[in-house]
Amino acid sequence: MSYPMPSLEAGAYPSLREIAATAGRLSGKILRTPVWRWQTGAADALLGADTEVWLKLELFQATGSFKLRGALNALLALDAPARQRGVVAVSAGNHAIAAAYSARACNVDAKVVMPEQASPARIAACKALGAQVILMPDVHAAFSHGRQIEMDEGRTMIHPFDGPMIAQSTATVGMELMEQVPRLDAVVVPMGGGGLCAGIASAVKQTAPHCAVIGVEPMGADALYRSFRSGRPERLERVDTVADSLGAPYALDYSFQVCQRFVDDVVRVTDDEICRAMFYLYRDMKLVAEPAAATASAALFGPLRDRLRGKRIGVIVCGSNIDPARFAELVQRGAA
């Protein structure tokens, strides 16, 4: 499907030079995560042996998700006065954990604002890393309170998904993948606010313009799917999905425009499809993937199956911060 091309000037998105510089800045501070080919179980039965599925295992990243790349890059860029004032982050968990980890590594005080429904394991992880955790009734209230803290205390907001610093950081995932698995036909990426997909797509398309980049959102958190179709950033009245890490309540200009420029299509998957993909990843690949991390695989076995059959595909597995009881519940749902 084709969409209108935005008037995004060169320099308004991450260049290959900027991505390489970011990778150099983060080198030794984050992990270069591995890739692994999925050749058994669902990949073979549903896609066939002529389809190559390569998983980019960002769930093995320190802090358990790709979010560390953006949070640490943002912290490293702060000057001394900003470090003294501290930082604030808003997140259902993965970005909060990454911000807390990065703040501790940089000796900066951190406050993280999370919705009350956030995983207790993620809340505990933030506290263990030394961050002050503030719980709010829902994700909209969390973002509002985070902005208030930013204004009242002069803290730097470490945004979970928007802005050049985030895109330059997530682009390093795409750069690594294209080095690890050359000649890909398509890359499938989970989407929440679009920061991961914007960065990866910018790296992929500038490296291999022929390679399709397809974003995947849950049905109950589809701000970018709606934005692609309307041509402007959309806001959701409510978020309702098991993939809480993808529960951004709105799209924002920068990430949306970078995605518009480089992403070929956005598709949606149901919560049942996500749970089924979690089950497949666990059964076949022995991976404990949180719902967000299974979303790209869910699309591969669902709405993208016929389109990508016989292709060489990169699939982003973005995180693994989930408590054992919740993981078991969702995997059992997927196995039913």
Side-chain angles (χ1 to χ4, degrees), residues 39-299:
Q39 302 180 71
T40 59
D44 181 54
L46 299 177
L47 300 173
D50 62 338
T51 305
E52 290 189 29
V53 180
W54 292 89
L55 303 180
K56 175 62 170 167
L57 299 173
E58 196 64 12
L59 81 173
F60 290 153
Q61 186 58 259
T63 75
S65 86
F66 76 94
K67 290 287 191 179
L68 178 61
R69 296 175 187 255
L72 186 56
N73 192 38
L75 262 293
L76 291 172
L78 295 181
D79 59 21
R83 290 187 180 212
Q84 183 67 31
R85 292 191 297 271
V87 298
V88 59
V90 180
S91 168
N94 283 337
H95 177 63
I97 295 170
Y101 179 100
S102 300
R104 187 175 72 171
C106 296
N107 195 29
V108 173
D109 185 71
K111 289 185 176 181
V112 295
V113 188
M114 307 174 73
E116 292 174 349
Q117 301 83 7
S119 163
R122 294 175 181 177
I123 294 171
C126 292
K127 291 179 178 178
L129 288 165
Q132 180 182 339
V133 176
I134 301 167
L135 298 179
M136 298 300 292
D138 56 37
V139 67
H140 287 290
F143 272 100
S144 177
H145 191 66
R147 287 192 295 269
Q148 193 64 50
I149 291 173
E150 179 186 18
M151 291 186 294
D152 291 347
E153 302 181 20
R155 291 175 180 263
T156 300
M157 171 69 76
I158 307 300
H159 202 278
F161 61 81
D162 198 59
M165 293 290 293
I166 297 299
Q168 290 165 17
S169 307
T170 57
T172 62
V173 179
M175 178 172 281
E176 287 178 16
L177 175 61
M178 300 307 283
E179 293 170 351
Q180 292 165 318
V181 190
R183 302 181 306 281
L184 286 170
D185 296 307
V187 177
V188 187
V189 189
M191 290 182 108
L196 177 63
C197 199
I200 289 176
S202 65
V204 170
K205 285 295 192 180
Q206 292 179 86
T207 303
H210 69 278
C211 182
V213 180
I214 303 171
V216 186
E217 284 191 305
M219 288 283 190
D222 61 349
L224 278 161
Y225 178 88
R226 299 185 190 195
S227 300
F228 263 63
R229 279 149 181 80
S230 71
R232 63 180 185 275
E234 295 287 351
R235 183 182 183 90
L236 302 176
E237 291 185 6
R238 67 190 291 263
V239 172
D240 183 14
T241 176
V242 296
D244 56 348
S245 297
L246 302 181
Y250 44 71
L252 292 175
D253 283 335
Y254 180 83
S255 293
F256 170 57
Q257 289 189 44
V258 176
C259 286
Q260 258 193 318
R261 183 177 185 88
F262 292 117
V263 174
D264 294 279
D265 198 5
V266 181
V267 301
R268 297 180 296 180
V269 291
T270 67
D271 281 358
D272 283 342
E273 289 173 318
I274 293 170
C275 291
R276 191 172 305 116
M278 289 177 67
F279 169 68
Y280 290 152
L281 285 164
Y282 177 69
R283 183 193 66 185
D284 301 345
M285 301 299 288
K286 314 309 176 191
L287 293 174
V288 178
E290 64 177 89
T295 302
S297 298

